[in-house]
Amino acid sequence: EVWHLMPVFDAVGAGIDGINWLDLVKQEGRPQRSFVNLSPVLLKAVVSAAKKRQVAEPVLLTNWLLHDVSLDEVNPADLAFVIKALDQIGQSETAKAVAQEVVKAHLMQRLAEKVPNGPQS
């Protein structure tokens, strides 16, 4: 399941309405996955620069934030802030591309977890 990606889906306007969240909580039996949180100071700087309608600064700060982390390891709520900031400065296509890359990274990680290691030599 990829319910932990809901903040990313919401950031690009692909939220899911009409879901009984209480039922999902009851069905969720496995422990939650832990994520790496992005630097709160850099994240706040991205959001602040986007609110000021600056373009280059949020893009450069986003690059700095994400340059050395795997997208499947980053807290989706933090990524949602970045995606919303990019959208806010008129970089909607870039925001959608980031969201797609996040989803791809999570799906690839899930697939890797399910695939056996192959023949042992």
Side-chain angles (χ1 to χ4, degrees):
E1 296 166 7
V2 291
W3 292 111
H4 57 276
L5 290 176
M6 284 305 298
V8 173
F9 295 142
D10 285 338
V12 292
I16 300 173
D17 296 325
I19 292 196
N20 187 333
W21 295 102
L22 186 56
D23 284 345
L24 287 175
V25 169
K26 290 176 187 175
Q27 294 172 5
E28 190 175 43
R30 58 188 209 148
Q32 292 294 322
R33 187 172 164 196
S34 61
F35 293 106
V36 173
N37 292 321
L38 296 175
S39 163
V41 174
L42 284 176
L43 196 55
K44 184 67 174 170
V46 170
V47 172
S48 178
K51 285 181 182 176
K52 294 177 185 173
R53 309 299 287 170
Q54 297 169 334
V55 176
E57 194 170 307
V59 170
L60 293 172
L61 289 170
T62 295
N63 184 52
W64 187 8
L65 270 171
L66 302 178
H67 82 282
D68 65 347
V69 293
S70 295
L71 291 177
D72 65 298
E73 295 175 354
V74 177
N75 186 333
D78 288 353
L79 291 168
F81 281 114
V82 171
I83 291 165
K84 287 177 186 175
L86 291 171
D87 189 49
Q88 187 175 10
I89 60 169
Q91 297 295 313
S92 299
E93 292 303 314
T94 303
K96 287 178 187 174
V98 170
Q100 288 173 350
E101 290 301 316
V102 169
V103 172
K104 286 179 194 176
H106 280 268
L107 292 175
M108 291 302 293
Q109 180 59 35
R110 294 278 301 190
L111 179 62
E113 291 170 359
K114 293 184 182 289
V115 173
N117 288 337
Q120 300 292 325
S121 41

